[in-house]
Amino acid sequence: MHKKKLILSVFIIVLLTSLLLWKIPNDEVKNDESVTKNDIRKEELITQSLYDEWYDQQTTWSIDNFPKYGSDYKGNTYAWGWSYVANSLIDMYEATGQEKYLDLLVPQVRYIFTQTDERLWLESFTNTGLSLPAWSDRGHYTSGEFSYIYPVHTGMIILPILRFVDIVKENNLSKYNEPATEFLQASGEALAVHNKDQMWKDISENEGFYMGHPYGEGLVSEANRIGIPNRVFIYLAAGGLYDKLTGGNDYTERINKSLRYFKHTLIKYDKNYDSYYWSYWNDLDPNSWEDISHAALTVYGIYILHEEAGFSIFTDQDLIRFKNIVYKIVNNDSPPKAKKFIHRKVTDKNSFYKMEDNQYYFSLLKWTFLGIYDKKVLETLEPVFIEAYNQKRNTVTTLSGIATYLKIKDQLKAEREN
């Protein structure tokens, strides 16, 4: 009898001890204000595993589905599809240090360079006889009336390629030296298509801006006209990286003039948010503010020039003001709502729009890179990532956003540890 009581007592002690040990860490979690159920859920969702899974599911751009030559794949397709995937592979390498992402990228870049107008014997501009080492839209934006090479498309395609070359050089990744050298030369040939004297306008002694190629006037909105911000700054970013990698000065002077023109002439200041805003079509409608999707490209180009190519016209304080746009265009509702433009138009019925009423909603994820200046940017955008996950919205934009998020999280963690 006493033996049974002893066994029962020991069992109760062991049980209570186990419960106590189980409860302590859970209480610590509850008492730690920085860790919530929502935080844990975010950590579980936005992961390398999710990126890998969604990359493999890409219907066009995964390694198994990468497009072969066909009429559906042209400059605009590579610019607005492949470039986001390519940038995501660069960001995933920077987030993880795993070369498997660069291994995926190299054959894709090699293929992309086999698809230039020059290599395919295609006319770059209709009825001109020119066949150039870049990618025309083959009439996509002019209903087949005119083929055109847009500087924004060249910039979007070349930028991740030059980011790859930069990573190879910065990290002394000798196994990639051969493709890096090959890609740098081909990138220079593509960028030079738009860097001609007749495609540049000096606005003042210290300011200027690129113009579109003179061919296509009357059929192409930007042909022989001064460019608009998002269609220039991605190209400028690629040009800035090219000069950095070659030690040359093919683009630097014009980049600095462009940055001064944008900063001193086009940008406006919103004191309510300590942020910047600007017009999409400055020369036509000074109140037509840029939409949040294209504006992200404008700021991303400036960010690359500042952080990766070493340009200083825009300072850290300027980048903070660009970062503050995020807090202006997304609210704290659950799920959050978003603005359509970086500044409210007088014609806007609402300040913020629900996801289903806003075609730019998931473009919010394009702003993730600005989290490097403030981790609250990531926290602000995390609910948008969750909405993308819940809807299984596996697009090039969300894929790129996941990679950028992981990269920025890793950089912020490294800064804290140092």
Side-chain angles (χ1 to χ4, degrees):
M1 185 69 177
H2 291 292
K3 187 175 181 181
K4 288 183 179 180
K5 285 183 179 181
L6 180 61
I7 294 173
L8 181 60
S9 299
V10 171
F11 175 78
I12 291 172
I13 292 171
V14 170
L15 179 61
L16 289 174
T17 303
S18 299
L19 287 172
L20 183 61
L21 290 173
W22 175 84
K23 183 174 173 43
I24 288 173
N26 281 278
D27 285 341
E28 289 176 352
V29 168
K30 289 177 183 177
N31 292 330
D32 183 352
E33 295 180 358
S34 67
V35 181
T36 67
K37 288 182 179 180
N38 208 26
D39 289 326
I40 294 171
R41 188 182 180 208
K42 292 164 191 170
E43 293 296 330
E44 291 173 348
L45 290 184
I46 312 172
T47 62
Q48 181 180 2
S49 296
L50 178 62
Y51 175 88
D52 290 345
E53 178 185 347
W54 279 17
Y55 175 84
D56 290 338
Q57 291 174 2
Q58 286 289 307
T59 56
T60 302
W61 306 112
S62 73
I63 196 62
D64 292 331
N65 296 317
F66 202 76
K68 305 306 178 189
Y69 172 64
S71 60
D72 289 338
Y73 306 118
K74 52 198 83 160
N76 52 289
T77 322
Y78 297 129
W80 304 123
W82 175 77
S83 72
Y84 287 101
V85 176
N87 261 320
S88 78
L89 291 170
I90 296 294
D91 286 345
M92 286 304 295
Y93 168 77
E94 293 189 319
T96 68
Q98 295 179 14
E99 292 182 358
K100 70 177 185 177
Y101 297 108
L102 302 183
D103 292 338
L104 286 170
L105 182 62
V106 169
Q108 295 181 20
V109 175
R110 283 208 165 105
Y111 174 81
I112 291 293
F113 278 124
T114 69
Q115 301 302 295
T116 64
D117 291 2
E118 184 178 61
R119 294 287 295 274
L120 297 176
W121 295 89
L122 296 171
E123 278 191 307
S124 299
F125 303 95
T126 307
N127 298 323
T128 61
L130 294 174
S131 183
L132 299 174
W135 303 263
S136 67
D137 76 326
R138 304 181 205 167
H140 176 77
Y141 290 104
T142 58
S143 300
E145 293 182 73
F146 195 85
S147 187
Y148 193 76
I149 297 181
Y150 291 83
V152 64
H153 292 168
T154 303
M156 289 288 288
I157 295 167
I158 292 299
L159 184 59
I161 298 173
L162 291 181
R163 291 185 69 212
F164 164 79
V165 177
D166 194 31
I167 280 175
V168 171
K169 290 181 176 292
E170 291 287 339
N171 295 280
N172 195 27
L173 303 177
S174 57
K175 66 178 283 190
Y176 300 108
N177 281 344
E178 183 179 345
T181 301
E182 171 191 335
F183 297 164
L184 182 60
Q185 179 178 343
S187 295
E189 293 173 2
L191 291 172
V193 167
H194 309 281
N195 192 31
K196 309 295 183 185
D197 289 343
Q198 67 268 31
M199 285 178 268
W200 172 261
K201 180 178 177 61
D202 275 316
I203 294 170
S204 67
E205 184 178 350
N206 295 312
E207 297 180 6
F209 229 48
Y210 277 98
M211 300 177 69
H213 206 286
Y215 292 108
E217 192 169 5
L219 291 171
V220 180
S221 62
E222 69 179 32
N224 206 29
R225 290 178 48 194
I226 193 167
I228 57 177
N230 73 76
R231 297 189 186 179
V232 173
F233 277 102
I234 290 295
Y235 175 75
L236 294 179
L241 279 180
Y242 181 78
D243 275 0
K244 171 189 173 182
L245 292 165
T246 61
N249 192 35
D250 291 349
Y251 299 92
T252 297
E253 181 180 358
R254 286 176 173 174
I255 289 171
N256 281 323
K257 285 187 173 183
S258 299
L259 292 171
R260 290 191 198 101
Y261 173 62
F262 187 62
K263 184 174 183 178
H264 299 152
T265 304
L266 301 184
I267 279 181
K268 298 171 178 59
Y269 177 67
D270 185 346
K271 65 180 181 181
N272 293 326
Y273 289 89
D274 187 28
S275 68
Y276 290 140
Y277 65 101
W278 54 93
S279 172
Y280 188 99
W281 292 103
N282 192 69
D283 57 336
L284 294 180
D285 182 0
N287 295 313
S288 181
W289 316 121
E290 195 165 26
D291 65 76
I292 66 171
S293 178
H294 288 97
L297 294 179
T298 298
V299 180
Y300 186 65
I302 294 170
Y303 164 83
I304 291 292
L305 287 168
H306 180 73
E307 294 288 349
E308 298 189 18
F311 286 79
S312 59
I313 300 296
F314 281 92
T315 65
D316 287 344
Q317 180 58 46
D318 291 319
L319 270 296
I320 294 296
R321 287 176 173 167
F322 284 124
K323 176 265 298 182
N324 289 340
I325 295 173
V326 174
Y327 308 132
K328 179 177 177 178
I329 62 177
V330 58
N331 70 10
N332 294 320
D333 288 0
S334 183
K337 297 175 184 174
K339 291 185 177 181
K340 295 182 178 180
F341 302 93
I342 56 173
H343 199 64
R344 186 173 182 178
K345 292 186 175 184
V346 294
T347 56
D348 278 353
K349 294 181 180 179
N350 302 304
S351 293
F352 295 93
Y353 294 83
K354 294 180 180 178
M355 175 176 47
E356 57 268 25
D357 298 322
N358 190 343
Q359 70 269 40
Y360 303 121
Y361 185 84
F362 286 105
S363 296
L364 290 170
L365 302 183
K366 294 180 181 180
W367 295 83
T368 305
F369 65 93
L370 291 168
I372 194 62
Y373 302 109
D374 185 355
K375 68 177 182 179
K376 290 182 180 179
V377 168
L378 300 185
E379 295 169 2
T380 300
L381 296 177
E382 278 165 350
V384 183
F385 280 100
I386 291 174
E387 286 303 304
Y389 178 87
N390 289 338
Q391 295 189 35
K392 294 181 170 41
R393 191 179 177 86
N394 182 4
T395 67
V396 294
T397 299
T398 54
L399 189 73
S400 179
I402 292 168
T404 305
Y405 177 93
L406 295 173
K407 168 190 169 182
I408 298 301
K409 288 279 281 191
D410 182 71
Q411 290 178 342
L412 292 175
K413 180 181 177 182
E415 288 178 5
R416 287 195 304 270
E417 292 175 350
N418 293 332

